[in-house]
Amino acid sequence: MILLNMYPFRRKPNRRPRRLIMVLLATISLAGCTVQVQDRSRPLVETNGVDSELELMMNQYTDKNKRGSESHTSETTIFQEELRLSTKGNVYHPNLMKFLGTVGLGLTQQRYDTMNQSFSSNGTLTHYGLNMNFLPLKPYPFGIGMTQTEDLVSRKFQSALRVKNTTTSFNTLLRVPDWPMSIDWVQHKISQNSDFTNSADRYTRDSDRFSYNLNHDFSDQSHLLFRFDWDKTSQSGANNLNDIDSKRFLLTHEQLFGTSDQHRLYSELTFLDKTQFTDTKSVDWSENLTIAHKDNFNTFYTMSYNGVKVGNIQNDSIGGTMGFNHQLYSSLTTSANVSGRRTKFGSAGQADQLGSRINLNYRKTNPLGVLTGLYSLSRHNDQNDNVAGIATVIDERHEFNDPFAIVLDKKNIEMNSIIVTDSSGMDVYTRNDDYTINQVGNQLELVMTPLGMELPNITDGQTILVSYTYQVAASEKTQTNRQEFRLAQNFENGLSIYYIQKRLDEELDSIFRNYDIPIDHITHSYGSTFRRGGLTLSAEYSDHQSELSPMESTDLNGSYSWRLSRYSSMSVDVSQSWVDVGGINPHDRSLFTTGGSFRSLITRRLRFNASSQWRDQQDSTAGPTEGIRFDSELIWKYRNVTAKTGWELNILDRNKQETTHTNLFLRVIREF
């Protein structure tokens, strides 16, 4: 093996590779021992042999940042060599224990050049994994796993981070008659640091997850489920990080009854005790009853209780719903319900909600294709009696569709209380980097962007969770009427056209008459889509009429994929969106994106892949943003040798600052 000659620096010796080698040698020595199993002589440790591979990697990252006449360039070069060994087999008998083991030892060298300064270092990498499954045919099988990976992860305008991931796991299934249960435990540790920079790059996260699951069937009609999840995460680093401690208990029961088990009673009880940014405790209890009077007609009844305490804020609510579903032939489905809920805000007072809804769904096959229609009408009356306090929303769910803003559900939100995370709640997004907040009357909207400079980043189409506190007005009465109408015709030739109308009328009586603004708007949307073969076209125009925040938007999309030959394919896509917002916070946004991909099997051993995307966004508030992404990869495989090389380019011009990131990589794997 040939290594780049760099200036070494002294590192504390890593004794773990020696221990792993000793374990591997011990396992090999045991493989020579023989035992008698069912009148047959066999090795104590039986394996399928040892598979090995040698991997060589080189990455060269170049970052350039230009603002006006000032520019900054940095370059990182990383060399890695790793030898990996793996084997699988069993001990004594396949029904006693099966295992899969891997071990990898590697050498690394990196060089970081920036601002007329150069830094270099040598190091080692240790990878290992051992997964063992015991007693697979017994009523109590269990498994144990241990893995560790080490890698050098590049960063823009900074030296690479040395990241170590260690995972230890245990799982078992107890096949107790009528009471099957499972237990899972996973411990995950992440540590990162840089060879060159200060302690600001040091970060550690230790997480433990324990799950217990129990099922029981009292009869064919009665089913019980209990689940307990405990997640505990501790983090340390230069930034102010929050530890997470979450315990969740879930108990459900399903009861079927009736002459043919056509009726159903479903009960669910959940308790959550979570500490992250603040202490949160919540209890949710619901009862859901469905009575099937006929094959095409049923009624349903629900009762629910929710109690939430966030810090010193306590909210309790209880409510219920009753309604019916009716199917007329195969064309028309009718559903309707009435609901009520009372919420108490501690000693501050209470709020009452009364509502009703009716839905009509229509579907009819005609000579041209299929006609579908929907009409929905709802009415809600909300009244707060002598309430003047703070309420809390936890994990309000939204979907990010670039470049459209997300309007939060509640009014009078405390802007500084907003916390935005991914769907798991682990990744917390950064204000003014991943999103900005605009105030529209007494509501807030989030303007998201997938181009944040700080990790983690949001992606288009992603689900996000938003938590916040909001002010509840005293003696407020609100009456809200909502209507929705949809009509669509799907033609047999792949064309579909549709029209959507949404209307909201609100009457408001509040002591905040000069601040609270009734929400009255109507939205008309016209659109069409066409699909045939690899071609997809869509267009939609929306006219949102509102005194508070009128908006017009147009969205055009097209994509086409086709085969150039038996071994080559190509795809292109293009989209254009315009958003024109008026009212008290007028602004315009437009987004144009286009891209494509190409795949080709050049020869039996040589393959080429490439993809690109261009983004041009104009925003009257945030300014223009333009970006280019290009990825290419050439793969060659001959017998036991695989070689990959490629080039990646990312250019982003944002806020009068141009950033360029390139990566030239080479990877060779030799299997033995």
Side-chain angles (χ1 to χ4, degrees), residues 58-65 72-78 111-114 154-159 646-652 658-665:
M58 186 278 292
N59 286 273
Q60 186 176 60
Y61 304 94
T62 302
D63 296 294
K64 297 181 180 180
N65 186 6
H72 174 210
T73 302
S74 65
E75 185 176 284
T76 301
T77 304
I78 300 175
R111 185 182 183 91
Y112 175 58
D113 298 305
T114 180
S154 68
R155 297 182 295 172
K156 295 180 180 179
F157 301 103
Q158 299 184 75
S159 62
W647 185 62
E648 300 172 353
L649 169 67
N650 287 275
I651 301 176
L652 178 63
E658 182 179 305
T659 303
T660 303
H661 174 76
T662 63
N663 176 28
L664 176 65
F665 65 89

XYZ file of all heavy atoms in Angstrom, residues 58-65 72-78 111-114 154-159 646-652 658-665:
339
model
N -9.869 8.236 -2.452
C -9.289 9.563 -2.495
C -10.399 10.556 -2.790
O -11.208 10.364 -3.696
C -8.211 9.654 -3.575
C -7.443 10.988 -3.591
S -8.302 12.341 -4.457
C -8.253 11.770 -6.145
N -10.468 11.612 -1.984
C -11.419 12.693 -2.200
C -10.671 14.018 -2.129
O -9.883 14.243 -1.195
C -12.527 12.685 -1.144
C -13.522 11.568 -1.361
O -14.493 11.693 -2.080
N -13.255 10.432 -0.707
N -10.947 14.883 -3.095
C -10.367 16.223 -3.085
C -11.507 17.239 -3.180
O -12.197 17.330 -4.189
C -9.391 16.423 -4.238
C -8.658 17.760 -4.183
C -7.619 17.907 -5.275
O -7.942 17.859 -6.459
N -6.360 18.045 -4.872
N -11.700 17.965 -2.077
C -12.777 18.943 -1.983
C -12.183 20.348 -2.127
O -11.191 20.685 -1.475
C -13.493 18.839 -0.644
C -14.042 17.471 -0.336
C -13.299 16.556 0.417
C -15.295 17.082 -0.781
C -13.793 15.302 0.710
C -15.801 15.829 -0.490
C -15.051 14.942 0.249
O -15.542 13.703 0.541
N -12.832 21.156 -2.957
C -12.412 22.541 -3.145
C -13.616 23.446 -2.912
O -14.685 23.226 -3.504
C -11.862 22.779 -4.556
O -10.766 21.884 -4.781
C -11.374 24.208 -4.707
N -13.447 24.453 -2.049
C -14.511 25.400 -1.731
C -14.021 26.812 -2.024
O -12.916 27.195 -1.622
C -14.917 25.299 -0.255
C -15.510 23.945 0.076
O -16.593 23.642 -0.439
O -14.876 23.194 0.844
N -14.881 27.561 -2.723
C -14.580 28.961 -3.028
C -15.771 29.820 -2.631
O -16.915 29.488 -2.941
C -14.279 29.136 -4.518
C -13.042 28.385 -4.997
C -12.801 28.617 -6.483
C -11.566 27.859 -6.952
N -11.310 28.071 -8.409
N -15.478 30.920 -1.977
C -16.511 31.855 -1.539
C -16.110 33.244 -2.011
O -15.017 33.726 -1.699
C -16.647 31.822 -0.009
C -17.812 32.666 0.470
O -18.582 33.187 -0.329
N -17.932 32.808 1.772
N -12.395 33.692 -0.758
C -11.789 32.766 0.195
C -11.831 31.379 -0.430
O -12.875 30.932 -0.910
C -12.565 32.793 1.515
C -12.087 31.773 2.504
N -12.923 31.191 3.435
C -10.862 31.216 2.702
C -12.237 30.330 4.159
N -10.985 30.330 3.734
N -10.701 30.691 -0.424
C -10.598 29.365 -1.013
C -9.992 28.402 -0.005
O -9.045 28.741 0.709
C -9.726 29.382 -2.284
O -10.277 30.293 -3.230
C -9.658 28.002 -2.917
N -10.572 27.213 0.067
C -10.008 26.154 0.915
C -10.045 24.843 0.148
O -10.904 24.639 -0.723
C -10.793 26.017 2.229
O -12.116 25.575 1.978
N -9.098 23.961 0.479
C -9.001 22.679 -0.210
C -8.672 21.590 0.795
O -7.794 21.747 1.639
C -7.929 22.746 -1.296
C -7.841 21.492 -2.154
C -6.847 21.632 -3.282
O -7.170 22.315 -4.275
O -5.727 21.079 -3.154
N -9.411 20.492 0.698
C -9.196 19.345 1.579
C -8.942 18.109 0.728
O -9.718 17.808 -0.184
C -10.418 19.106 2.483
O -10.670 20.270 3.268
C -10.180 17.918 3.407
N -7.853 17.398 1.022
C -7.530 16.152 0.336
C -7.491 15.030 1.363
O -6.812 15.143 2.388
C -6.177 16.251 -0.385
O -6.201 17.367 -1.285
C -5.880 14.980 -1.166
N -8.230 13.962 1.089
C -8.338 12.841 2.026
C -7.979 11.554 1.297
O -8.512 11.264 0.215
C -9.767 12.737 2.610
C -10.137 14.010 3.367
C -9.882 11.518 3.515
C -11.569 14.016 3.863
N -5.078 16.491 4.208
C -4.387 17.768 4.120
C -5.447 18.849 3.908
O -6.334 18.712 3.068
C -3.382 17.771 2.966
C -2.535 19.051 2.887
C -1.594 19.010 1.699
N -0.741 20.194 1.666
C 0.447 20.285 2.227
N 0.943 19.231 2.865
N 1.160 21.393 2.159
N -5.294 19.923 4.678
C -6.255 21.024 4.623
C -5.497 22.320 4.379
O -4.602 22.688 5.158
C -7.042 21.087 5.940
C -7.990 22.255 6.042
C -9.007 22.444 5.106
C -7.880 23.176 7.084
C -9.877 23.513 5.202
C -8.755 24.244 7.198
C -9.751 24.409 6.249
O -10.616 25.468 6.353
N -5.816 23.015 3.286
C -5.161 24.262 2.910
C -6.189 25.386 2.903
O -7.238 25.278 2.248
C -4.538 24.154 1.513
C -3.466 23.088 1.450
O -2.529 23.151 2.256
O -3.593 22.182 0.606
N -5.872 26.481 3.615
C -6.762 27.632 3.658
C -5.980 28.860 4.107
O -5.099 28.762 4.975
C -7.945 27.384 4.618
O -8.796 28.532 4.620
C -7.480 27.106 6.029
N -16.318 15.420 5.120
C -15.888 16.747 4.671
C -16.888 17.814 5.102
O -18.068 17.539 5.333
C -15.740 16.774 3.147
O -17.011 16.639 2.526
N -16.382 19.065 5.194
C -17.202 20.236 5.494
C -16.789 21.377 4.585
O -15.633 21.457 4.168
C -17.037 20.662 6.962
C -17.496 19.648 7.965
C -17.335 20.199 9.372
N -15.930 20.429 9.709
C -15.528 21.055 10.812
N -16.423 21.530 11.670
N -14.241 21.220 11.071
N -17.728 22.245 4.309
C -17.418 23.395 3.461
C -16.602 24.415 4.247
O -16.970 24.802 5.349
C -18.705 24.031 2.948
C -19.509 23.123 2.018
C -20.770 23.800 1.536
C -21.558 22.878 0.617
N -22.807 23.515 0.146
N -15.478 24.808 3.683
C -14.593 25.836 4.231
C -14.030 25.466 5.599
O -13.603 26.316 6.359
C -15.305 27.192 4.323
C -15.790 27.687 3.002
C -17.127 27.604 2.659
C -14.902 28.213 2.090
C -17.583 28.044 1.430
C -15.343 28.676 0.847
C -16.692 28.580 0.526
N -14.024 24.193 5.925
C -13.449 23.733 7.180
C -12.807 22.375 6.950
O -13.103 21.685 5.972
C -14.512 23.630 8.280
C -15.185 24.949 8.623
C -16.144 24.796 9.782
O -15.749 24.678 10.935
N -17.427 24.805 9.477
N -11.946 21.995 7.877
C -11.306 20.697 7.758
C -12.329 19.590 7.995
O -13.404 19.809 8.561
C -10.163 20.581 8.767
O -10.670 20.676 10.086
N -15.415 10.090 -10.167
C -16.439 11.044 -10.545
C -16.100 12.441 -10.082
O -15.081 12.681 -9.405
N -16.991 13.349 -10.448
C -16.804 14.754 -10.122
C -18.151 15.343 -9.754
O -19.168 15.080 -10.421
C -16.197 15.489 -11.314
C -15.846 16.931 -11.045
C -14.943 17.387 -10.144
C -16.396 18.081 -11.692
N -14.870 18.762 -10.171
C -15.761 19.221 -11.129
C -17.346 18.274 -12.695
C -16.065 20.514 -11.530
C -17.640 19.564 -13.101
C -17.001 20.675 -12.519
N -18.183 16.124 -8.673
C -19.395 16.770 -8.199
C -19.178 18.274 -8.153
O -18.115 18.742 -7.726
C -19.774 16.259 -6.806
C -20.023 14.756 -6.749
C -20.192 14.261 -5.321
O -19.978 15.070 -4.392
O -20.524 13.075 -5.145
N -20.193 19.016 -8.553
C -20.106 20.473 -8.585
C -21.381 21.066 -8.006
O -22.490 20.652 -8.371
C -19.915 20.969 -10.028
C -20.061 22.483 -10.257
C -18.921 23.232 -9.572
C -20.112 22.798 -11.746
N -21.228 22.019 -7.094
C -22.346 22.761 -6.534
C -21.983 24.246 -6.523
O -20.963 24.635 -5.939
C -22.658 22.306 -5.104
C -23.317 20.945 -5.059
O -24.526 20.826 -5.194
N -22.511 19.907 -4.880
N -22.815 25.058 -7.161
C -22.617 26.509 -7.192
C -23.884 27.168 -6.676
O -24.988 26.870 -7.150
C -22.304 27.014 -8.616
C -21.046 26.337 -9.165
C -22.124 28.526 -8.620
C -20.743 26.719 -10.601
N -23.740 28.051 -5.705
C -24.882 28.756 -5.119
C -24.558 30.243 -5.062
O -23.561 30.651 -4.456
C -25.182 28.220 -3.714
C -26.331 28.904 -2.965
C -27.642 28.696 -3.700
C -26.433 28.378 -1.533
N -21.312 34.256 -3.753
C -21.232 33.071 -4.599
C -20.349 32.023 -3.933
O -19.200 32.291 -3.582
C -20.670 33.429 -5.977
C -20.611 32.230 -6.920
C -20.085 32.595 -8.283
O -20.658 33.521 -8.898
O -19.089 31.976 -8.730
N -20.901 30.833 -3.777
C -20.188 29.721 -3.144
C -20.077 28.578 -4.142
O -21.080 28.172 -4.748
C -20.923 29.244 -1.881
O -21.086 30.336 -0.980
C -20.135 28.151 -1.190
N -18.866 28.046 -4.308
C -18.619 26.937 -5.225
C -17.986 25.787 -4.447
O -17.024 25.984 -3.699
C -17.683 27.357 -6.368
O -18.246 28.476 -7.055
C -17.484 26.211 -7.350
N -18.534 24.608 -4.636
C -18.027 23.410 -3.955
C -17.846 22.316 -5.002
O -18.770 22.005 -5.759
C -19.001 22.950 -2.879
C -18.611 21.648 -2.233
N -17.602 21.545 -1.306
C -19.098 20.393 -2.403
C -17.485 20.291 -0.918
N -18.375 19.571 -1.565
N -16.646 21.737 -5.062
C -16.371 20.638 -5.988
C -15.771 19.466 -5.225
O -15.142 19.637 -4.178
C -15.398 21.059 -7.104
O -14.135 21.421 -6.522
C -15.949 22.230 -7.895
N -15.973 18.285 -5.761
C -15.407 17.076 -5.170
C -14.991 16.145 -6.286
O -15.804 15.738 -7.118
C -16.427 16.379 -4.267
C -15.892 15.054 -3.718
O -14.692 14.882 -3.566
N -16.789 14.130 -3.428
N -13.718 15.815 -6.318
C -13.161 14.830 -7.235
C -12.826 13.585 -6.427
O -12.079 13.663 -5.450
C -11.905 15.375 -7.922
C -11.162 14.408 -8.858
C -12.025 14.054 -10.063
C -9.827 15.015 -9.294
N -13.405 12.451 -6.803
C -13.212 11.268 -5.972
C -12.805 10.066 -6.811
O -13.101 9.964 -8.004
C -14.483 10.941 -5.171
C -15.670 10.548 -6.015
C -15.900 9.225 -6.366
C -16.572 11.505 -6.452
C -16.986 8.858 -7.131
C -17.669 11.157 -7.212
C -17.880 9.827 -7.561
